[in-house]
Amino acid sequence: MSLLDIAPVVPVVVIDDLETAVPLARALVAGGLPVIEVTLRTADALKAIERIAAEVPEAVIGAGTIRTPADVAASVAAGSRFLVSPGSTPKLVDAMEASGVPFLPGVATASEVLALAERGLTEMKFFPAEAAGGLPYLKALGGPLPDVRFCPTGGIRLASAPDYLALPNVGCVGGTWLTPADALATGDYARIEKLAAEAAALR
């Protein structure tokens, strides 16, 4: 199954405290969102991926903010089952293709989409979604590029997610609203599970 078809929303997670990784992942899975993207924006991100991969096997754990071939190698070694990049360069896409795991290369323009389509890639991350044109832009891309599907991420919330998901070229959306900083700080995983359940019900 395609990454884009497993769940309507992919939680985009920033983990500052390693001890929150496993209970956070369990709450998201319990709420119906098994695909989890841990961004490589903190010192403990790779360790968090390792822990989730080892202790929450029902989660489809992946790494986001992939920027270099070294990020690709480290993420796969940590147990990432997919990779997501904020943008795409030939060198980075080469490394992600060689990794052997599914990946969503980041795009923000029609030319970037075409460059990846020339390589035979048809599933991409549209980022930063709202800042790069949002719904109207993705709808416009669907005309000349009907065979390409996206996971838009960046500025999307529960209220706007259904509009994105209604587009035929959107498989899922990425969102940070599922893991509020205050909920993580207080260990309110019941709240996170509830937010995940609301998002899972979008499809």
Side-chain angles (χ1 to χ4, degrees):
M1 178 180 286
S2 162
L3 271 175
L4 301 185
D5 296 323
I6 298 174
V9 180
V10 176
V12 179
V13 179
V14 178
I15 294 180
D16 293 301
D17 179 358
L18 185 58
E19 298 308 312
T20 67
V22 168
L24 168 62
R26 286 179 175 150
L28 291 169
V29 171
L33 299 180
V35 182
I36 304 168
E37 174 189 337
V38 174
T39 61
L40 300 188
R41 299 181 189 179
T42 64
D44 285 332
L46 290 170
K47 290 180 182 177
I49 291 170
E50 286 181 357
R51 285 200 183 181
I52 295 170
E55 300 183 41
V56 194
E58 59 272 35
V60 181
I61 187 66
T65 321
I66 299 289
R67 301 189 305 167
T68 67
D71 288 342
V72 172
S75 298
V76 173
S80 294
R81 293 170 61 183
F82 67 92
L83 306 168
V84 184
S85 65
S88 303
T89 66
K91 186 176 181 180
L92 180 58
V93 177
D94 286 344
M96 290 193 291
E97 279 191 311
S99 72
V101 301
F103 63 97
L104 294 174
V107 296
T109 70
S111 293
E112 291 169 347
V113 175
L114 285 172
L116 293 173
E118 284 181 354
R119 301 176 65 128
L121 301 175
T122 59
E123 297 185 348
M124 307 170 194
K125 171 181 178 173
F126 179 61
F127 177 84
E130 288 286 286
L135 286 163
Y137 195 92
L138 279 172
K139 188 174 182 180
L141 285 178
L145 299 162
D147 55 330
V148 179
R149 293 201 305 155
F150 301 94
C151 174
T153 304
I156 299 173
R157 297 289 180 264
L158 180 65
S160 57
D163 292 330
Y164 278 95
L165 292 168
L167 295 176
N169 59 345
V170 170
C172 63
V173 301
T176 59
W177 81 86
L178 299 140
T179 54
D182 59 337
L184 286 175
T186 59
D188 190 355
Y189 299 109
R191 179 182 169 199
I192 291 172
E193 182 177 340
K194 181 181 178 183
L195 290 170
E198 289 175 348
L202 293 177
R203 184 168 67 202

